[in-house]
Amino acid sequence: MKREYTVVLLLLASISVFGGSSVDSAFIDSLMSVMTLEEKIGQLNLPVGDDIESGTAKGADFEKLIINGQLGGFFNVSGVDKIKKLQQAAVEKGPHGIPLLVGADVIHGYRTIFPIPLGLASSWSPENIKRMARISAIEATADGINWNFSPMVDICRDPRWGRIAEGSGEDPYLGSQLAKAYVEGYQGDDLKSDSTLMACVKHFALYGAAEGGRDYNTVDMGKERLFNYYLPPYKAAVDAGCGSLMTSFNLINGQHSTAAGWLTQDLLRDNWNFGGLVVTDYNSMPEIATMGTSTIEDAAAKSMMAGTDMDMVSGLFVKYLKRSLTEGKVSMDMIDRACRRVLEVKQKLGLFDDPYKYCNSNRADKELFTKSHRAVARDIAAETFVLLKNENKLLPLNKKGKIALIGPLADVKNNMCGCWAMAGEHVTVLDGFRRAVGKRADILYAKGSNIYHNATVQMNGSGIKPIPYVEDEDGLLSEAMMVAEKSDVIVAVMGESSEMSGESASRADITIPDAQRELLKRLVKTGKPVVLVLFTGRPLVLDWESENIPAILNVWFPGSEAGDAIADVVFGNKNPEGKLTATFPRSVGQIPLYYNHLMPSHPDPDSKVFNRYCSNYIDCSNEPLYPFGYGMSYTEFKYGKPELSADAMERNGSIRLSVDVTNTGNMDGTEIVQLYLRDVVADIARPVKELKDFAKIYIPKGETRKVEFVITPDKLKYYDSELKYRYDPGEFEVMVGSDSKNLQTMKFIVK
Ligand code: BGC
C-alpha cells in the first residue's frame, strides 16, 4: 500500500520553485556540525501557546524548552512584546542562539478581518485574495509573526463539513488559481522582507473529503479522483513557491496522512520537488496511534519516515526520536534532513541576520487595523456577496420610510467575521444601516429570536463567540412582530452564527436553524416585503426560503467592516457580483452534490418529472437549488452567440472562443463569464463539464464587451487510469455562460 503510486509518479515530470531567497548551505553545515542530536531534535518541536484558543492542548513552558534546546518555534502567542521576549530568550539563552519560528492562523486577516475564504472565493478574484493576503502579512509581521498556517486549499464537496468555510469551494481550477494568489500575497517576492510571511499550505491531503462531512473523519479515495480533482490546488500552491506545508488529520485509505510516505516523500518531495518544511497538524502524530496504525512509541519514527519535519504540539519527536534512532527505525540522515529544513526556512526568513526583524513595536502601533486596510476590507467584502434571488427587483432598497432590521445576527459585534478571527468589535449590520441612511429613513431593530430554540445546540455552535441565549423566546418574537408591523420593508438578518462553521463545526441539518426559520415565516406572513441577509459559512439548504422570500443576499461572514459593506450593497451604492463556488443543494440527501460530476449509468433525461430506472431520487430532483457559479446582479447581462476560431484544433495548437456580453439593465455592473469543457470520449470517464477559465469584467450599462478565451492543450489534459497526464484526440464540448447551468455549448475536434 505505502508507495502505491510510486512507479507512475516517477514518470510525471514537474518542477517546483521554493519561494524566497536561496540557502547558504555552508552556514547551515557549520551550525549543524556543532549541534547535538538532542538539539537537532529540539528544532523539530513546535508547541502551542495559550493566548489563542485553537485546540485542546495546554500551552507549554517556553522558557524552559528554549533553555533546554527543545524548541524550533511556537504558535498561538499574541503580541509583539511577548514574542520579542521569547525570541530574545532563544538568542541569548538557547543553545547556539538559534531564532524561533513564530506561527499563527491568519486565515482571512489579522486585525483587519476580511470575509471568510469561501466568501473571498465567491469574488472569483485572485487580485482580491492577493490584496487580502498582503494586508494580512503586513499586520501579522508587524505583530511578531513570521509563519502563517494558510492557505487551506482542501477541495470540499460536502457542505456539512464546517471547514468548507476555510477553503475556496469545490472546484480544482478556481481553487488552484486562488491557492497561488494566497501564496503570492503572503510571501511576496522576498521572504526576507520584514513584511512578508512564510505561507503553509494545508491540509495535505484530502481533509475536505471527510466521510459524511464529519470533521476528522476517514477518507477513502481512488487515485483518478485524487489526481484530477483534489490534488491540483496543493500542487498550485507548491508551484507558487509555498515555503511550508501541513499534513492533515485524516486517514487516507486506512493510512494516516501524517505517516503516508507515498504522499509526502514520494509525491510531494520527490515528484513535485518540494524543498520546504513539512509540519504536522495539531497533535496529529499521536493520532497515528489512536487511529490504529502505529504504537505511540513508533508514531514519531513513522511520521519522519513519511517525510515530516516538524511536530505541532504533541512533543513525540522530543520524546521518542532518539530511541527510534537507536532501534534503527529512523536514520541520522533523516533527522539531519528535517533539522536542516527547519534551519533553512529560518534562514530564508532572514531570522539569522536579524532575529528581531518581526518584532518592531513601532510597526505594531501604526500598521494594525488602519483606515486604509479597513477600506480595502469593505470593498472586497461587497464583492463576495452573492445575490441568490431578487423578485421584482426588491433590492436595492431606497433610503426612505421605515426599514425593520430583524434577526439575532443584526447587532452582534463578535459574530460578523466567522471562524478564525479573534472576537472583536466589528461593524454590525445595525451600525452600517444607520450610518448609511442617516436621517433619510428610520431603522427599527429587534433581535426576534435565538439562533436555535435549544440552548444547548446554540452553545455547541458558539465556540469562543457566544451569543447570549434569551429564555423569553415569546417576548423576543412579539417585539419583532411589533417592529415588523410598523415598517415598510423588513430586512431579516439571519443564518449561522460565526462559530457554526470552521473546525469541529459539522452540521447534519444545514437549513437555517429552527428558531430563525420560524421567525422568518412569521415575518413573511405580515405581507410586507422581506429581504433575507444571510450569514453562513457553508452552502445551506434554502428550499423554503427560495420559494417564499422575495430577495436573498448571501453575505457569508464579511469581516470587520460587515455592516458598512452590507449597507453598500443593500442600498445600491454597489452592485452585487459574487458567484457561488460551492453548490447549494435542495436537500441534505443529495450530498455530495457538485457540478463537475461524471455521467451516471441511466442518466435522467428530465429532472422535472420522476423517471423510473434513471439515476435520481423518487422524492427529490437531482438539480441543485443554486448551482456552482451562480449569482445575480442588479443589472442583467445578455450573452451573444459564442464563436470559435476553428472547428478543429491541431495537436499542440490552440483555439479561441469569443463571446459578446451586453449589460442590458439600468446599472453598471460586473459579470463573471465562465468557460467549461467536456472531453466526450476519454480513457477514463470525464466530468459532464469542468471549469477551465473565467473572466471578471466590468460593463457599464448599455455597453457590450467581447470576452475571449484561449483553449490550449493544458486545459484538455487529465490523469488517466495509469496516472499519465494526457489529452486525447476527438470531440470536445465547450460551454460558456454565466453559471454552470446557464451555458451555450459548441463543439470542436482535437486532431
Ligand atoms: C487546524 C489547523 C491549524 C492548527 C493550528 C488545527 O486544529 O486543523 O488548520 O492550523 O490547528 O492552530
Side-chain angles (χ1 to χ4, degrees):
M1 166 63 206
K2 188 169 180 294
R3 308 310 198 232
E4 184 186 359
Y5 302 131
T6 311
V7 180
V8 261
L9 289 178
L10 292 175
L11 297 172
L12 303 171
S14 78
I15 297 168
S16 68
V17 207
F18 187 91
S21 38
S22 59
V23 173
D24 177 357
S25 316
F27 170 81
I28 305 231
D29 289 344
S30 98
L31 176 57
M32 284 182 60
S33 71
V34 292
M35 288 172 77
T36 63
L37 170 62
E38 289 79 3
E39 287 163 4
K40 287 176 179 170
I41 292 175
Q43 284 300 308
L44 316 183
N45 194 24
L46 182 75
V48 65
D50 45 19
D51 289 349
I52 299 157
E53 187 186 315
S54 77
T56 50
K58 283 256 163 300
D61 179 350
F62 289 147
E63 284 265 347
K64 192 166 144 215
L65 293 172
I66 287 170
I67 292 165
N68 292 344
Q70 289 180 330
L71 194 71
F74 57 83
F75 69 104
N76 279 7
V77 172
S78 168
V80 66
D81 296 333
K82 230 177 188 178
I83 291 172
K84 189 169 187 177
K85 266 198 196 139
L86 292 166
Q87 204 60 278
Q88 205 162 2
V91 173
E92 291 171 11
K93 300 185 201 156
H96 317 292
I98 302 174
L100 300 165
L101 290 173
V102 182
D105 292 275
V106 185
I107 308 299
H108 50 115
Y110 184 67
R111 285 289 174 267
T112 307
I113 306 295
F114 292 79
I116 54 167
L118 188 60
L120 288 169
S122 307
S123 77
W124 293 57
S125 168
E127 292 73 31
N128 280 348
I129 303 261
K130 260 195 186 174
R131 286 164 84 202
M132 180 293 297
R134 183 77 208 104
I135 289 175
S136 302
I138 292 172
E139 293 196 358
T141 53
D143 214 21
I145 290 153
N146 51 45
W147 185 17
N148 188 14
F149 304 142
S150 170
M152 182 187 109
V153 304
D154 303 318
I155 293 290
C156 179
R157 294 169 163 183
D158 191 333
R160 289 171 297 181
W161 192 53
R163 301 197 78 170
I164 194 171
E166 297 176 52
S168 294
E170 72 191 34
D171 185 65
Y173 176 78
L174 181 63
S176 299
Q177 306 296 312
L178 302 186
K180 178 171 179 274
Y182 274 104
V183 173
E184 291 173 352
Y186 293 135
Q187 296 195 164
D189 297 331
D190 179 12
L191 261 191
K192 273 205 164 90
S193 145
D194 60 9
S195 68
T196 54
L197 280 169
M198 176 166 72
C200 183
V201 61
K202 68 191 191 185
H203 305 85
F204 201 58
L206 308 180
Y207 187 21
E211 228 171 62
R214 184 150 54 82
D215 210 358
Y216 316 127
N217 206 6
T218 300
V219 174
D220 221 67
M221 179 69 61
K223 61 184 190 306
E224 293 85 3
R225 183 174 275 199
L226 170 72
F227 275 81
N228 286 309
Y229 312 109
Y230 282 86
L231 288 181
Y234 305 107
K235 174 76 164 56
V238 167
D239 286 349
C242 190
S244 68
L245 178 141
M246 188 185 293
T247 65
S248 59
F249 286 133
N250 48 286
L251 293 175
I252 305 173
N253 303 338
Q255 205 175 13
H256 197 294
S257 84
T258 306
W262 65 266
L263 187 66
T264 308
Q265 187 58 48
D266 299 350
L267 176 68
L268 176 73
R269 291 208 188 282
D270 297 346
N271 189 258
W272 292 358
N273 289 328
F274 178 68
L277 177 72
V278 175
V279 62
T280 71
D281 201 351
Y282 200 106
N283 211 29
S284 280
M285 221 180 269
E287 290 176 356
I288 305 172
T290 316
M291 289 158 122
T293 57
S294 173
T295 60
I296 190 78
E297 292 81 5
D298 285 349
K302 287 210 168 172
S303 176
M304 177 161 278
M305 286 282 293
T308 306
D309 303 315
M310 213 170 189
D311 164 23
M312 186 190 286
V313 170
S314 85
L316 289 198
F317 273 168
V318 170
K319 198 160 175 196
Y320 291 117
L321 259 194
K322 197 171 163 191
R323 168 167 147 188
S324 297
L325 178 66
T326 325
E327 292 169 353
K329 290 177 178 159
V330 287
S331 65
M332 195 56 222
D333 264 5
M334 281 175 183
I335 298 174
D336 274 343
R337 233 177 337 187
C339 174
R340 177 176 291 276
R341 287 193 195 112
V342 174
L343 298 175
E344 276 177 3
V345 297
K346 290 180 177 181
Q347 192 179 58
K348 284 173 180 161
L349 283 164
L351 286 167
F352 286 111
D353 305 330
D354 176 5
Y356 307 115
K357 60 185 303 197
Y358 303 98
C359 298
N360 176 346
S361 319
N362 293 335
R363 276 191 65 200
D365 292 341
K366 284 193 219 119
E367 295 181 21
L368 304 189
F369 205 51
T370 62
K371 231 174 153 184
S372 68
H373 292 175
R374 294 181 64 185
V376 177
R378 177 170 172 173
D379 280 346
I380 290 182
E383 287 190 37
T384 68
F385 301 163
V386 184
L387 183 63
L388 295 175
K389 189 178 171 193
N390 197 17
E391 218 167 72
N392 301 325
K393 300 206 169 185
L394 176 55
L395 283 173
L397 296 183
N398 288 319
K399 293 178 183 169
K400 66 171 198 207
K402 292 190 165 49
I403 302 170
L405 203 56
I406 299 178
L409 296 169
D411 192 28
V412 269
K413 287 188 189 301
N414 69 350
N415 260 249
M416 296 294 98
C417 295
C419 56
W420 292 115
M422 293 316 112
E425 299 293 290
H426 304 297
V427 183
T428 70
V429 187
L430 183 58
D431 296 338
F433 273 40
R434 286 200 170 133
R435 200 165 12 241
V437 303
K439 295 207 169 92
R440 293 161 67 187
D442 284 339
I443 304 289
L444 315 174
Y445 162 73
K447 176 172 168 143
S449 76
N450 285 309
I451 299 292
Y452 281 98
H453 283 310
N454 184 318
T456 310
V457 180
Q458 177 160 326
M459 233 2 251
N460 293 348
S462 294
I464 51 171
K465 298 171 197 158
I467 297 179
Y469 184 83
V470 177
E471 291 298 335
D472 181 11
E473 289 200 283
D474 291 343
L476 283 180
L477 183 63
S478 51
E479 187 198 0
M481 297 319 293
M482 263 165 51
V483 164
E485 287 302 340
K486 279 193 225 153
S487 68
D488 303 311
V489 57
I490 299 168
V491 179
V493 186
M494 297 183 180
E496 298 191 318
S497 55
S498 201
E499 300 286 292
M500 281 172 66
S501 59
E503 188 172 348
S504 192
S506 295
R507 293 181 66 198
D509 172 356
I510 56 170
T511 53
I512 293 184
D514 53 8
Q516 300 176 72
R517 221 183 196 193
E518 279 169 32
L519 170 61
L520 201 50
K521 287 184 179 172
R522 292 289 299 268
L523 296 176
V524 169
K525 271 202 180 142
T526 61
K528 313 243 166 161
V530 178
V531 174
L532 172 60
V533 169
L534 179 70
F535 277 71
T536 180
R538 53 159 61 79
L540 295 178
V541 168
L542 300 170
D543 50 346
W544 184 86
E545 291 77 3
S546 70
E547 291 285 320
N548 295 287
I549 310 287
I552 307 176
L553 181 70
N554 178 13
V555 299
W556 310 108
F557 286 96
S560 319
E561 312 311 309
D564 289 325
I566 294 170
D568 288 340
V569 173
V570 165
F571 294 108
N573 289 353
K574 288 183 182 156
N575 192 346
E577 58 189 62
K579 302 225 183 196
L580 300 176
T581 65
T583 302
F584 274 45
R586 288 169 190 276
S587 153
V588 168
Q590 294 176 303
I591 298 171
L593 185 70
Y594 47 94
Y595 85 94
N596 51 349
H597 62 85
L598 303 179
M599 188 65 91
S601 148
H602 299 48
D604 194 340
D606 177 6
S607 56
K608 291 197 185 73
V609 288
F610 174 66
N611 293 296
R612 192 117 205 158
Y613 304 112
C614 287
S615 175
N616 54 22
Y617 304 97
I618 54 174
D619 56 353
C620 182
S621 137
N622 285 347
E623 294 300 309
L625 190 60
Y626 298 115
F628 176 86
Y630 173 81
M632 299 172 70
S633 164
Y634 292 156
T635 188
E636 286 88 44
F637 297 104
K638 195 164 174 294
Y639 282 67
K641 199 174 166 336
E643 284 177 12
L644 278 175
S645 58
D647 306 333
M649 181 170 142
E650 297 297 330
R651 194 98 198 139
N652 297 321
S654 68
I655 196 167
R656 285 187 315 280
L657 179 142
S658 58
V659 64
D660 284 343
V661 184
T662 305
N663 181 343
T664 55
N666 291 322
M667 199 172 172
D668 300 343
T670 296
E671 169 69 330
I672 298 167
V673 183
Q674 300 160 41
L675 180 94
Y676 296 82
L677 283 171
R678 177 179 177 209
D679 186 349
V680 179
V681 180
D683 171 62
I684 54 168
R686 303 291 300 126
V688 295
K689 63 194 72 155
E690 282 184 294
L691 181 76
K692 287 294 171 182
D693 212 342
F694 59 89
K696 190 169 171 171
I697 40 159
Y698 172 76
I699 313 180
K701 64 179 170 197
E703 294 196 15
T704 298
R705 293 283 178 276
K706 189 178 277 309
V707 178
E708 189 170 273
F709 297 106
V710 183
I711 303 164
T712 49
D714 55 296
K715 298 208 180 296
L716 312 178
K717 284 183 179 167
Y718 66 99
Y719 289 97
D720 69 10
S721 51
E722 290 170 355
L723 296 186
K724 283 202 204 87
Y725 197 48
R726 66 187 249 186
Y727 71 109
D728 302 319
E731 188 178 327
F732 281 78
E733 287 175 4
V734 55
M735 295 151 255
V736 67
S738 59
D739 64 59
S740 64
K741 286 282 171 191
N742 196 356
L743 296 166
Q744 302 183 69
T745 304
M746 304 185 80
K747 290 182 192 294
F748 66 92
I749 300 290
V750 171
K751 288 190 178 162

